[in-house]
Amino acid sequence: MNSLSRFVTALLVAAGMALAGFAVGQGLERFRMSDRSVTVKGLAEKSVESDFAIWTLGFRRAGNDFGGVQKALAADRDKVVAFLKSRGFSEAEVEARPLQVQDLYAREYAQANQPFRFNGTGQVLVKSARVTEVEAAARAVDPLIQDGIQLGGDNEGRGGPRYQLRGFNDIKAPLLAEATRNAREQADKFAAEAGAELGPLKNANQGVIRITGDDGNDFDDGSSRMKRLRVVSTFEYELR
């Protein structure tokens, strides 16, 4: 009787272990199936034209008479404004900033051998959505230079208009949609080649839209009228 009991007990334990092993095996299989996925990257690129331009026309004068320097700067400013109006820019598009005259001898570390005591600067800004007209005017400043106006750029010494893309949000959505379509096409192709069926989307990262100029630089410094937009989005799809 004791031998029979031990046999039955051993049989039940063996059956339990087999059942447990089967359950564990099925669990691992479901885990592997649920973990089947594919990660793809979708690329989208687009060239667009800037929709706004800011052009800083800086000019300077130097001399030993404060009033003379200031008067020369005022005359230069009037000529620059007149030139811009002749090019068709309105008062709303032109901003004349206050003139500045500096006494170089009054500086803390002034040098006695300064050739001129007073140094003056002025600026006239053009802010316009008429990008083509701004670009054309920037190429036609020869008469101002011939008139003796010492033209320069903004405070950073850069000349020429700076182009911006203010309608970025209007372009953003179609660009991301294109990247999504590109990624989906790649995922469908991978699934077909793997003999699987593409399941639902598990994760998505839209990425960062980079804006560069068409001059080959890796960043947009504003000098390029045409902008290059590029985005790489990452998507993870389930495979069945």
Side-chain angles (χ1 to χ4, degrees):
M1 187 68 180
N2 291 336
S3 298
L4 180 61
S5 297
R6 287 196 296 271
F7 174 76
V8 171
T9 301
L11 185 62
L12 291 174
V13 171
M17 292 179 63
L19 182 62
F22 174 77
V24 170
Q26 290 299 305
L28 289 176
E29 181 64 19
R30 286 195 298 271
F31 173 76
R32 287 195 296 269
M33 291 296 292
S34 64
D35 192 50
R36 292 182 64 189
S37 63
V38 58
T39 300
V40 293
K41 293 184 180 297
L43 171 66
E45 293 182 300
K46 185 178 182 64
S47 291
V48 296
E49 184 176 357
S50 300
D51 55 16
F52 200 83
I54 299 178
W55 181 25
T56 302
L57 292 93
F59 47 92
R60 63 178 60 251
R61 291 282 182 171
N64 292 316
D65 178 64
F66 178 88
V69 172
Q70 187 179 40
K71 184 177 180 179
L73 285 173
D76 290 346
R77 179 181 59 190
D78 293 343
K79 292 176 182 178
V80 171
V81 171
F83 165 78
L84 294 173
K85 288 185 176 180
S86 72
R87 301 291 306 187
F89 294 105
S90 66
E91 291 186 1
E93 295 173 302
V94 178
E95 176 189 343
R97 293 191 170 178
L99 304 175
Q100 296 183 356
V101 180
Q102 183 181 22
D103 185 352
L104 301 180
Y105 290 177
R107 295 188 302 181
E108 183 178 356
Y109 300 102
Q111 299 180 4
N113 60 347
Q114 289 284 352
F116 298 106
R117 177 173 180 176
F118 299 101
N119 183 43
T121 60
Q123 285 185 341
V124 177
L125 274 66
V126 178
K127 300 179 180 179
S128 175
R130 298 187 297 144
V131 177
T132 301
E133 287 78 358
V134 174
E135 184 179 48
R139 295 177 176 176
V141 296
D142 285 357
L144 292 176
I145 298 175
Q146 293 168 0
D147 206 15
I149 300 177
Q150 303 175 44
L151 287 178
D154 54 22
N155 290 333
E156 298 178 359
R158 299 175 303 183
R162 319 312 295 177
Y163 299 102
Q164 301 177 350
L165 187 60
R166 296 194 171 185
F168 172 76
N169 288 333
D170 297 333
I171 305 171
K172 178 180 178 180
L175 195 69
L176 292 174
E178 182 181 345
T180 302
R181 286 193 298 270
N182 179 259
R184 178 77 188 197
E185 291 173 359
Q186 294 186 62
D188 283 331
K189 182 178 179 181
F190 178 87
E193 292 178 350
E197 180 182 350
L198 196 65
L201 180 66
K202 297 179 64 177
N203 294 294
N205 184 343
Q206 72 174 22
V208 177
I209 299 178
R210 293 185 57 197
I211 303 178
T212 61
D214 63 354
D215 49 8
N217 289 332
D218 292 334
F219 61 93
D220 177 29
D221 62 358
S223 62
S224 178
R225 176 178 166 183
M226 295 300 298
K227 308 295 184 184
R228 185 72 176 171
L229 278 65
R230 186 177 191 271
V231 62
V232 178
S233 301
T234 304
F235 300 89
E236 183 184 4
Y237 291 94
E238 181 179 327
L239 289 179
R240 296 173 177 172

